[in-house]
């Protein structure tokens, strides 16, 4: 995870700016989780990936799972509105191996990678709006992603929080073609060559958090991505959506 150390250095630099301000106690948590994903490739099986989880957060830096953020100075618009700005890094687990499905046989492996960029969030009483731009720092896909989204948290009880979201994500043609295109060298009679263009996917999701007490919490995140026509037209794909379920347990110190 070579990107994360750079984020830690950046967080240290940002902390100098806030040196005169009072510190707040950091949040520490460890746990385990599992990601269940159904990718859109023809006849591909649902994948289950267990992962260890570390959550660390203070006023300058946040690390959770496979994502990190350096928090830049926030802009307070009013007592109930605030703009949050940050530098972000994450690991993207997209990609496949040629043995993941029959349609992918004799295809070159497509790798995931580390991504980095910047994001902004407008917190307000009605609905939180956010946008971020990231690109593939690993250089595997030369991908870029622009996300625009909205989410709202409902505190249904002292223990239970429900947060639905709606997100539009635009990926550049390099990303689309890397993961869903078929190169001429990979074309076969049953799998024609295909070049994918830039695309916009729509994500619908909901995150639920149940805190048993101050130390133990359970989180379930469910999302469905409605795929753009550039993906659905690929000879590798036979689905109109991709879905993912993420469950985790965390213990906080």
């Amino acid at each position: 995870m070579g990107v994360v150390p750079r984020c830690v250095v950046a967080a240290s630099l940002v902390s100098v700016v806030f040196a005169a301000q009072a510190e707040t106690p950091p949040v520490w948590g460890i746990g385990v989780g599992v990601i269940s994903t159904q990718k859109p490739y023809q006849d591909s099986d649902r994948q289950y990936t267990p992962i260890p989880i570390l959550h660390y957060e203070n006023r300058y830096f946040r690390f959770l799972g496979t994502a990190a953020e350096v928090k830049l100075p926030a802009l307070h618009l009013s007592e109930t509105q605030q703009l949050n700005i940050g530098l972000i890094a994450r690991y993207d687990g997209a990609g496949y191996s040629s043995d993941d499905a029959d349609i992918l046989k004799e295809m070159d492996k497509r790798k995931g990678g580390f991504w980095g960029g910047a994001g902004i969030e407008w917190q307000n009483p009605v609905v939180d709006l956010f946008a971020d731009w990231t690109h593939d720092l690993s250089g595997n896909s030369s991908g870029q992603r622009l996300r625009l989204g909205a989410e709202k948290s409902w505190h249904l009880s002292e223990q239970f929080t429900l947060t639905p979201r709606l997100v539009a994500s635009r990926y550049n043609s390099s990303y689309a073609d890397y993961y869903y295109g078929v190169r001429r060298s990979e074309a076969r009679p049953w799998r024609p060559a295909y070049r994918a263009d830039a695309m916009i996917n729509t994500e619908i999701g909901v995150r639920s958090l149940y805190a048993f007490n101050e130390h133990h919490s359970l989180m379930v995140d469910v999302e469905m991505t409605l795929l753009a026509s550039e993906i659905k037209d690929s000879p590798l794909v036979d689905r109109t959506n991709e879905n993912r379920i993420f469950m985790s347990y965390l213990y906080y110190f």
Side-chain angles (χ1 to χ4, degrees):
M1 300 183 61
V3 174
V4 174
R6 289 197 288 270
C7 291
V8 174
V9 172
S12 300
L13 296 176
V14 173
S15 67
V16 175
V17 178
F18 294 98
Q21 301 184 22
E23 288 286 345
T24 56
V27 174
W28 276 102
I30 59 172
V32 294
V34 61
I35 303 173
S36 173
T37 305
Q38 179 60 69
K39 295 185 177 181
Y41 302 109
Q42 290 186 35
D43 300 321
S44 60
D45 295 328
R46 176 171 286 275
Q47 298 178 350
Y48 297 90
T49 307
I51 59 171
I53 300 175
L54 170 67
H55 183 193
Y56 175 79
E57 185 169 1
N58 59 24
R59 64 184 303 157
Y60 315 118
F61 180 70
R62 180 175 186 264
F63 182 85
L64 176 60
T66 58
E69 177 186 8
V70 176
K71 302 178 183 179
L72 301 180
L75 178 60
H76 297 275
L77 304 177
S78 69
E79 292 184 357
T80 59
Q81 298 186 63
Q82 178 175 302
L83 282 180
N84 300 317
I85 305 171
L87 304 177
I88 54 181
R90 63 182 177 87
Y91 178 77
D92 182 85
Y96 57 78
S97 298
S98 60
D99 57 356
D100 285 347
D102 289 342
I103 193 65
L104 304 175
K105 291 188 181 302
E106 301 179 20
M107 297 277 291
D108 292 336
K109 183 177 182 179
R110 305 302 200 262
K111 300 178 181 179
F114 289 98
W115 288 56
I120 185 170
E121 177 189 33
W122 175 27
Q123 292 182 323
N124 64 83
V126 180
V127 62
D128 293 339
L129 303 175
F130 57 89
D132 62 61
W133 172 85
T134 54
H135 68 107
D136 185 0
L137 300 175
S138 303
N140 294 324
S141 68
S142 299
Q144 297 185 35
R145 183 184 74 170
L146 176 64
R147 297 172 74 239
L148 302 174
E151 66 177 26
K152 174 70 175 180
S153 292
W154 303 90
H155 301 283
L156 303 181
S157 70
E158 291 185 359
Q159 291 83 24
F160 186 59
T161 302
L162 195 67
T163 307
R165 66 181 178 276
L166 178 64
V167 184
S169 298
R170 183 190 186 277
Y171 294 88
N172 68 346
S173 58
S174 295
Y175 179 97
D177 193 53
Y178 182 73
Y179 291 113
Y180 302 102
V182 179
R183 300 162 183 164
R184 291 189 180 277
S185 61
E186 298 169 328
R188 300 292 184 270
W190 67 90
R191 187 178 60 213
Y194 179 74
R195 183 171 181 80
D197 203 352
M199 62 187 186
I200 298 177
N201 289 338
T202 302
E203 173 191 313
I204 303 170
V206 61
R207 181 175 64 255
S208 59
L209 177 66
Y210 189 86
F212 296 92
N213 51 47
E214 64 182 54
H215 295 294
H216 304 274
S217 68
L218 180 67
M219 193 267 287
V220 179
D221 187 287
V222 180
E223 77 174 31
M224 180 176 66
T225 301
L226 306 178
L227 302 174
S229 59
E230 289 79 8
I231 296 178
K232 292 186 290 185
D233 291 342
S234 169
L236 304 178
V237 172
D238 66 351
R239 293 182 174 89
T240 60
N241 66 78
E242 177 175 330
N243 61 79
R244 180 185 68 91
I245 302 172
F246 175 57
M247 300 180 62
S248 68
Y249 160 79
L250 277 170
Y251 175 84
Y252 287 96
F253 298 94

